[in-house]
Structures are given as C-alpha cells and as structure tokens.
Amino acid sequence: MSTSVQETVPKRRVAIIGGGLVGALAVLYFAKRGWQVSLFELREDLRVPENKKNLSHRSINLALSARGLSALKRISLGLDDKILEHVIHMKGRMIHLGEGKLKSQLYGVFGECIHSVEREILLELLLNTAATFTNVKMYFQHQFKRCNFDDGILEFENKKTGNPFQDSADLIIGADGAFSAVRTQLMRVVRMDYSQEYISHAYLELTIPPRVNDKDEEEFAMDPNHLHIWPRHSFMMIALPNRNKSFTCTLFMPFENFDALKTEDDLMEFFRKYYADSIPLIGEDQLKKGYFRNPRGSLMSIKCKPYHYKDRAVIIGDAAHCMVPFYGQGMNCGFQDVEMLNGIFEEYEISAVQSSDKLALALEEFTKRRHPDAIAICDLAMYNYIEMRSSVVKPWYLLRKRIEETLYWLFPTRSIAPLYTMVSFSTMRYSEAVQRWKRQGFLLNVIGVSILTTVTAASIWIGYYRF
Amino acid sequence: MSTSVQETVPKRRVAIIGGGLVGALAVLYFAKRGWQVSLFELREDLRVPENKKNLSHRSINLALSARGLSALKRISLGLDDKILEHVIHMKGRMIHLGEGKLKSQLYGVFGECIHSVEREILLELLLNTAATFTNVKMYFQHQFKRCNFDDGILEFENKKTGNPFQDSADLIIGADGAFSAVRTQLMRVVRMDYSQEYISHAYLELTIPPRVNDKDEEEFAMDPNHLHIWPRHSFMMIALPNRNKSFTCTLFMPFENFDALKTEDDLMEFFRKYYADSIPLIGEDQLKKGYFRNPRGSLMSIKCKPYHYKDRAVIIGDAAHCMVPFYGQGMNCGFQDVEMLNGIFEEYEISAVQSSDKLALALEEFTKRRHPDAIAICDLAMYNYIEMRSSVVKPWYLLRKRIEETLYWLFPTRSIAPLYTMVSFSTMRYSEAVQRWKRQGFLLNVIGVSILTTVTAASIWIGYYRF
C-alpha cells in the first residue's frame, strides 16, 4: 500500500475511557501507533492551575519500579528520563522495630531501587505529552454513561454543562479504574467471571512534616531513601518520602481496631505502645487531628476474565485487575498492560488505518496472556501484606532471604532470584515469577534446614549449648 | 402495651423488590407478621389472562423438595397442600444408558420423592394468596431504579406509563434475582465480597410431547415418575414431566459443542450417537426446529457477603446466591431463606409495629447464619453437575451409594444419611449436610475397599479369577 493511499484513508478511532495514569499512557501508545485517539475523563484537567485545589490527596504514594519504567521507556518519548528527575529513590525497607530501633533491609543485592513518585507529577507529564499529538483529543469532566460495543456508540454526560455527549469509536479501551463502568457494560455482552474481595483492613493517611535543621533548612525527618515500615503483626504503618521533604504515612489495620480508638487518649496510648518513635515526627497535635479527621479507605482485590469483547473493546489497569497496594505494583502492572497490548498489536500487525480480522484475535490474546499475570500479582500483593506486617521480622524469613540473596549475588544469571527482585526489578511475566518462586522455595527450605542443622551440631560440638 | 395502642401506631413498611417465587413468598411471611407490604415487580401480572401469552417459557423446570415444602407449610396458609395437588412426584433418576437401556435409581431409600412443579402455577398460588391480605399492595411493571437505604426512599419507573414512581419503606428486601439491582445498590454502601462464575456449559430446551395411546388418549411418552437423565460424561440431557403429559428436556453442553452442530445433519448424527432413544420421542422435525430456534442459556454461580445493610435492607434468593441448577435447590434454598429470616425475626422479637434496635442485629444474624449454607449449596450444585453427567454410571460411585443407602436404611436415625437425602429430603442446614457428608465419605471409602477386597479374595479362593 502506498503512502498516498494511507493518507487518504480515515484513521481508525480509539476511545479511551479514564484519564488516570494507565489511560493517559494508553493514549500515548495509541497516538504513536497512528490511531485517532479520544480520551474521556470524569475529573477536571489537573494541568489547569485552579483545578489543583480540588484534587483529592487521599491516595497511597506510588512506587515506580522496573515494569512501569520499561513501559515509559518503550514508547521512546523520553518519559522515563523525565520522570526519574522527579522521584526519590528507595533502596530498601527501614524496619522500625520498636523502642526506636531501626534496621535496613535492602531491596536489591546490586543496589536496585524503587522510586517514590507523586501521582500528579507523573500524570501531568503524560497528559502534557499527549497534548503534543495532533491525533489526540482530550475531554475532561465527561462521565461515561453507556455504550453499544457493536456499533461503537458511546454516551457521556458533560458534567460542566449537564448536557449529554455522544461519540463513536472503532475500539473502546476501559481504563476507568476499580469501579469501571466500561467493565459493567462489558458484563452485559460477555460471560464475565468476576470477583471482588475486600480485606478486613482499612487505611488512613498521616503526614510527617519536614524538620528544620540547625541551618534553618527544611530536611527529611527520617532517611528518605527507604520505605519505612512499622510491622506489628496484625497491623502496620508505612511511610514514603515526598519531594517536599515530608513523608506520607499510611496506617493499615482492621476496621474494628480503628473503631476501638475512640478518644485522643486511646489514640495516644496506642501510638505510644506501637509507634512511639513516630509521635515526635508527626507531632502529637497533628497526629490527633489527622487521625480523627482524615478519611479511612477500604482495600480490595478484583479479578475478572475475559478483558475483551470481540474486536470492539478491552479493559486495562485497575478496571481489569485491582490489587491491594502491598507490592507497590498497581500502577506498574497497569503500565505493563499497555506495553503488552502494544506488543500484541505489533505481533498481529494491527493497523491504525484499516480494520483487520486480526484485531479480535489480538484482544483475545491479550486476555489469554495477561490474565494469569494479573492473578499472580493480585495474589502476591495479598501475600506481601502478611510479609510486610509480620514476616519481615521473623528469623526463618530472614535466613531464607539471606540465602536467596546470596545465591542470586553469586549467580545473578541463574534462575534463583529473590521474588522481590523478579517482581520489582525485572519485567518477566508475573506468572513466571511466581512459578520460579515456588520452585526455588523448596530448595531454599532444604538449604535453610541444612544450615540450621550444621550450626546447631557445631554449637553442640564446641560446647555452646550444654544439656 | 395494650392492643388499642398497637392499633393506632402505624405499621412498619417493608418494600419487597422482585415478585418471583421467593419475593412472593416473602410478601406472605411479612404480611402474616403484620407489616405493611409493598411488592414491586418488573414483569406483568401473570394472573391477568392476556399476559400469559407474553410469558417467557425459557426456564428449567422446578423440582420442589423438603425445604421448599417446609417453607410453604410453616406459614400455615395451606400452601403446601394446595401445591401438592398440582405436582408430579419423581421418585428417582431414570438413567438412559444408550442403546435404549434404562436404569432406575431411587432418590430415597424410604420412597421419598421430589416434585416436578410448574413455575407459573406456584407463583399464581402465592400471588393469589398475597392478594387476600389487606396489608399487601402489589405493583407490577414497576422497574426498580435506585434507593437511598438510610432514608428508605425507593425510585421506580412505571413501565406502562413511563413515569417515575417513588415510595418509601422502613425495610427493603431484594428478591430481584441473579442480576439484582438491589444488590448493586447495596454494593455502594457496604464492602461486599462478590463473585460470579460462569460455567462453560450452555443449556437449550426441547419438548417431548404426549403420545397418543390405543384408546386415543394422550399419555406420557416415558415414565413420568422419574427425572430422566442421559449422562454422557462431558455433556448430558435431562427431562422433567409436565402436567400436560409432555416432558421438558434440557440439553447441557459446552458452548463450543453447541456451535459445532451447524447443520441439521450434524445435529441428527449427534443425536443418533448419544440420544438415539429420544429422537422418536421428540420427533425428528421438532428436534431440528427446536434445536436451531430455541435460545441457549448460560449458567452461573454467584456468591456474596454480607446480605444486609444495617437495619435497612437484606437480599434473599438468587439475589444473594445464585447456583447452577443441578441440585434442583435454587427455589428451595430461596424459600428456606424466607423461612430462616422469619425464624430470626421471631427469635429477635422484631415487631411490625415498633422500630427496634434489634432489627440490625437480626439482619446481621441472617447474613452470618445463611452465608455458609449458601456457599455449601452453590458448591454442591456445581459438584452435582459432575455427578449427574458422569459419576452416576461409575461402579465405585454405585457401590458407595449402595453402602450409604444400606446403612441409612438399617439405621435411619444415625448420622449416616446419603447426601441427596440430607439436601432434598431434610431441612437440615446445607452447611451441616456438607460437613456430615465429608465425615462419612472416609468411612464409606473404608467399607467400600473392605468389600472389594473381600469379594476379590473370595473370588480368587473359589477360583473365579485364574492367574
């Protein structure tokens, strides 16, 4: 096909519902592939200065890691380099053991880091980049109402004017989050297996402000290059650094424990018992205010299948799989969805100009390939909650971790890699990471038991233990 | 409190959404308890003769068993006796083995039966009885749109006039089926765990008409006192008798198998291979017409929790738990929901006159008590699908069944009862039935193995087997 013909054929149109991080990245990928892209977002455009004050600040900080960076890099718009200028590197967990004792656990044996990033900055970068494409139209304050997938008609309400708005598209992408309306529409036309499960824990955010040092400069009140954790078995607190030298703390515990702290005295007694070192950092007054004023959020896990309908629609990001935040993979996984979908479009040679019989196959392949990965990371995120609030301080966990890391340090190309490394510092499929982890689990237990036996035998022999 | 005071106090109002079998029975229970009841149903009133022609006949026949009968009896309106005049007793399964061989498996060792009943007749009985209560109002062709649970405001659309309609209630009961709109509203105010799972099989209904005998009278073409099954491992057909001496056959098989039968020749070849004895009964022409004209239905399982919101709302029946139809328990379970809810209202002394702090506790207790039962029967229904299409012809299954039945026949009051008996011929909690079944499974295997070993040893000893 000659270029001149291509230019006269109208471009195929994709409607992307949801202008959060994943939707905005999808806009860029489709724009780059040459599609005519329309983005519809319910909220206001956060790039307009007066809208910033309306933003809800209630969200767990984001940890950008290898998968997210890979998706930002692959599109070759320099997004990865640009965002890395605005992040704070976190090289490990800082465990707050109680009585002010601290213990650093590095994430990677070769100094790999995850990156604390502010949602707004990343979203602004993506939307600003989208605005540079002439084949992208962005509609803010447009609420998606319903659609007919087969004829591609979409209905919205313009929340500014209250008027209905209609558009049409050849392909509809649902990136509209955990409570996805596109997914609800999809359920009417496909037999979708779906599950949502709330965990019994809620979360509440508090702030550790910057402290003023001797030179009257603001500085971080704790080491900024760690993700801070106060593991307390059935509950925990974490803190991630912000660029303004504050930390956002998130308290996770069962709803009934939150309810049990009824008075300021209850709260202070609880904090003095479990999070004593954080009280001077947060400030007693701010702690009381924050605890009783800030909203409590609930956390859930969503799995579903399939993600697509014929050659007409596909859901990505939280709309397709919503996970609890304990592996810091929600955004990374959503970004990888976009990268994988793009890769499949390349494999199937899906054109932005001509309709293709292969599009239905490509979308089906996306469901087939991505579903086991989504299940794997949703389950790992749930598992990591136990690890973060409890396992990280247990000797057996620490011994296994040490062995695993030593083996990986000795043989970095072999198949033994710590789970955290596979999830956060590689782009290997989540499902593969889980399979490897299960395989090597047995081996690690064997080595662990051998070491313990040897140490015990040696201790008895040298008379360390006396019976 | 004196009677005169009670009479001047306005009655508490309950709105029941969904006038199917479960909703209609709930109307009766609440009416009998003295509540002011409003029933809202999307469809037309089937008691009006001209509406009968609009009824969709696409539904698996209903098998009424002990739990359903118990709920009909408990309310003391004579419903159980009235409906038993219109049922056809089914005392067992008639297995169609191929090549026209038949084998009867009785359901109960003491001649217990399940009862084939037509949905319309049962529903008409319930609605006619509801109409005799002065404290019941029924609204047909009213589509539930949304509600505010806390202030009890309900919004509907009158489908006849197209006008909106508003009502209010102290308590809202969602009995609006698998795709419950009340449940959707409930999900907005409670953290509801929810899952829906489709099975890979579809169903399609066919009819075996009455045959004309020598005396020119219509009669059943097969034994009417059995539920007929053609088990074919990965698929099956069943047939239930109707009062007009026809049978409704339901073909269950994977969607792709349905799709594979593209032509009439494909269909006939398939039927000659697997369901040969049914061809003359259905009639070749009617088989072809029915197969290619009748709709295919999909089947799914729904589980959720909790069922209630404060003292304001509760969901029952398919809205709370939807099961695949293979244990014939959908309606029975829904009826038992109503009976159990009523029992809890009695325990908590919930008045139809005064609001009570205990109502929230009673609804919470309903979730707590009913949820494990719903999970148990949803899982059993899935399990029974395998039993019906495959296990029923396997020697090990038959041996275990024989032992179980013999033990139950010998010691009917002991704790060993066949699972089918516990589910269909008792009102014990589903969750308890499953627990007992799991406990006795081990024992049955031990006895089964002992018998097999003894028989084999004896056979060798008497020279039956020669090596």
Side-chain angles (χ1 to χ4, degrees), chain A residues 308-339:
Chain A
H308 73 289
Y309 170 67
K310 295 184 184 169
D311 62 347
R312 309 299 303 181
V314 65
I315 50 175
I316 56 176
D318 282 1
H321 42 67
C322 175
M323 60 199 76
V324 292
F326 306 109
Y327 228 115
Q329 284 293 313
M331 169 188 63
N332 291 288
C333 177
F335 278 8
Q336 199 176 34
D337 286 355
V338 178
E339 191 182 350

Side-chain angles (χ1 to χ4, degrees), chain B residues 445-457:
Chain B
N445 283 338
V446 169
I447 299 176
V449 169
S450 313
I451 292 179
L452 280 186
T453 314
T454 311
V455 170
T456 310

Side-chain angles (χ1 to χ4, degrees), chain A residues 179 187 190-200 255 298-300, chain B residues 179 187 190-200 255 298-300:
Chain A
F179 297 97
M187 281 184 178
V190 299
R191 298 192 304 279
M192 187 184 283
D193 288 345
Y194 172 85
S195 77
Q196 63 180 48
E197 189 191 347
Y198 284 88
I199 62 172
S200 58
F255 278 92
S298 52
L299 299 163
M300 72 164 159
Chain B
F179 297 97
M187 281 183 178
V190 299
R191 297 192 304 280
M192 186 185 282
D193 287 344
Y194 172 86
S195 77
Q196 63 179 48
E197 188 190 349
Y198 284 89
I199 62 172
S200 58
F255 278 91
S298 51
L299 299 163
M300 73 164 157

Side-chain angles (χ1 to χ4, degrees), chain A residues 267-455:
Chain A
L267 175 69
M268 292 316 298
E269 192 188 342
F270 175 78
F271 259 73
R272 273 192 289 269
K273 185 163 178 192
Y274 294 109
Y275 305 124
D277 63 337
S278 76
I279 300 175
L281 302 179
I282 299 172
E284 200 170 318
D285 276 358
Q286 287 305 313
L287 170 57
K288 289 173 185 168
K289 271 190 203 156
Y291 184 87
F292 290 105
R293 273 191 205 164
N294 294 350
R296 291 175 207 165
S298 52
L299 299 163
M300 72 164 159
S301 199
I302 291 179
K303 298 170 183 173
C304 67
K305 187 185 180 184
Y307 301 140
H308 73 289
Y309 170 67
K310 295 184 184 169
D311 62 347
R312 309 299 303 181
V314 65
I315 50 175
I316 56 176
D318 282 1
H321 42 67
C322 175
M323 60 199 76
V324 292
F326 306 109
Y327 228 115
Q329 284 293 313
M331 169 188 63
N332 291 288
C333 177
F335 278 8
Q336 199 176 34
D337 286 355
V338 178
E339 191 182 350
M340 184 185 273
L341 187 63
N342 183 65
I344 293 172
F345 272 44
E346 275 174 13
E347 279 174 45
Y348 283 74
E349 297 170 344
I350 305 299
S351 153
V353 181
Q354 278 194 312
S355 73
S356 157
D357 295 345
K358 288 194 234 158
L359 181 52
L361 294 175
L363 298 186
E364 190 181 339
E365 177 65 23
F366 178 72
T367 288
K368 211 169 130 188
R369 209 180 287 180
R370 196 55 173 161
H371 183 255
D373 292 339
I375 298 302
I377 188 61
C378 282
D379 290 345
L380 278 184
M382 202 68 101
Y383 169 87
N384 211 43
Y385 183 35
I386 302 165
E387 176 162 324
M388 283 176 83
R389 65 187 153 95
S390 177
S391 311
V392 286
V393 289
K394 289 190 176 152
W396 180 247
Y397 167 85
L398 293 170
L399 174 65
R400 270 189 51 150
K401 185 173 188 300
R402 181 62 61 90
I403 301 167
E404 198 173 44
E405 287 172 355
T406 308
L407 287 171
Y408 182 60
W409 181 77
L410 288 170
F411 314 107
T413 57
R414 296 294 170 86
S415 68
I416 288 208
L419 179 62
Y420 196 91
T421 297
M422 294 189 284
V423 170
S424 299
F425 305 130
S426 90
T427 56
M428 87 169 61
R429 291 184 55 185
Y430 290 119
S431 51
E432 193 193 330
V434 169
Q435 278 162 17
R436 283 197 187 193
W437 174 56
K438 287 182 177 165
R439 275 202 304 270
Q440 73 203 29
F442 176 74
L443 179 64
L444 291 172
N445 282 339
V446 169
I447 299 175
V449 169
S450 313
I451 291 177
L452 280 186
T453 315
T454 312
V455 170

Side-chain angles (χ1 to χ4, degrees), chain B residues 294-309:
Chain B
N294 295 350
R296 291 174 207 165
S298 51
L299 299 163
M300 73 164 157
S301 200
I302 291 179
K303 299 170 183 173
C304 68
K305 188 186 181 184
Y307 301 140
H308 73 289
Y309 170 67

Side-chain angles (χ1 to χ4, degrees), chain B residues 111 131 159 174 179 197 230 241 276 356 412 425 436:
Chain B
K159 299 302 276 185
F179 297 97
E197 188 190 349
W230 290 255
S356 157
F425 305 131
R436 283 198 187 193

Side-chain angles (χ1 to χ4, degrees), chain A residues 112-376:
Chain A
E112 302 96 320
C113 288
I114 59 174
H115 314 284
S116 180
V117 65
E118 281 159 58
R119 184 190 297 270
E120 285 172 43
I121 293 175
L122 182 49
L123 185 54
E124 214 166 328
L125 169 65
L126 296 175
L127 292 178
N128 280 332
T129 313
T132 64
F133 282 84
T134 55
N135 52 335
V136 169
K137 268 193 188 167
M138 295 192 271
Y139 301 85
F140 292 91
Q141 289 177 276
H142 276 63
Q143 184 171 34
F144 172 74
K145 288 294 190 183
R146 65 191 70 79
C147 63
N148 181 318
F149 291 109
D150 286 306
D151 61 17
I153 301 294
L154 299 130
E155 291 174 42
F156 300 88
E157 185 190 328
N158 182 330
K159 299 301 277 186
K160 215 168 171 178
T161 64
N163 291 334
F165 179 83
Q166 227 186 42
D167 200 15
S168 68
D170 302 300
L171 176 62
I172 296 170
I173 309 269
D176 49 346
F179 297 97
S180 170
V182 177
R183 186 182 62 222
T184 304
Q185 295 285 305
L186 216 48
M187 281 184 178
R188 295 166 169 261
V189 293
V190 299
R191 298 192 304 279
M192 187 184 283
D193 288 345
Y194 172 85
S195 77
Q196 63 180 48
E197 189 191 347
Y198 284 88
I199 62 172
S200 58
H201 290 63
Y203 72 92
L204 181 141
E205 291 192 347
L206 299 166
T207 304
I208 294 180
R211 71 174 166 209
V212 179
N213 66 12
D214 305 340
K215 297 172 203 153
D216 224 30
E217 293 162 349
E218 289 198 332
E219 63 176 20
F220 283 104
M222 305 185 293
D223 180 340
N225 297 121
H226 278 85
L227 190 159
H228 293 258
I229 311 186
W230 290 254
R232 299 296 181 262
H233 300 288
S234 63
F235 49 89
M236 70 170 178
M237 185 162 73
I238 66 170
L240 272 82
N242 298 315
R243 284 187 320 148
N244 69 358
K245 302 197 194 296
S246 69
F247 283 86
T248 302
C249 300
T250 313
L251 194 59
F252 294 97
M253 62 183 180
F255 278 92
E256 56 266 32
N257 293 31
F258 274 109
D259 292 337
L261 305 179
K262 289 190 200 307
T263 66
E264 294 191 343
D265 286 347
D266 294 342
L267 175 69
M268 292 316 298
E269 192 188 342
F270 175 78
F271 259 73
R272 273 192 289 269
K273 185 163 178 192
Y274 294 109
Y275 305 124
D277 63 337
S278 76
I279 300 175
L281 302 179
I282 299 172
E284 200 170 318
D285 276 358
Q286 287 305 313
L287 170 57
K288 289 173 185 168
K289 271 190 203 156
Y291 184 87
F292 290 105
R293 273 191 205 164
N294 294 350
R296 291 175 207 165
S298 52
L299 299 163
M300 72 164 159
S301 199
I302 291 179
K303 298 170 183 173
C304 67
K305 187 185 180 184
Y307 301 140
H308 73 289
Y309 170 67
K310 295 184 184 169
D311 62 347
R312 309 299 303 181
V314 65
I315 50 175
I316 56 176
D318 282 1
H321 42 67
C322 175
M323 60 199 76
V324 292
F326 306 109
Y327 228 115
Q329 284 293 313
M331 169 188 63
N332 291 288
C333 177
F335 278 8
Q336 199 176 34
D337 286 355
V338 178
E339 191 182 350
M340 184 185 273
L341 187 63
N342 183 65
I344 293 172
F345 272 44
E346 275 174 13
E347 279 174 45
Y348 283 74
E349 297 170 344
I350 305 299
S351 153
V353 181
Q354 278 194 312
S355 73
S356 157
D357 295 345
K358 288 194 234 158
L359 181 52
L361 294 175
L363 298 186
E364 190 181 339
E365 177 65 23
F366 178 72
T367 288
K368 211 169 130 188
R369 209 180 287 180
R370 196 55 173 161
H371 183 255
D373 292 339
I375 298 302

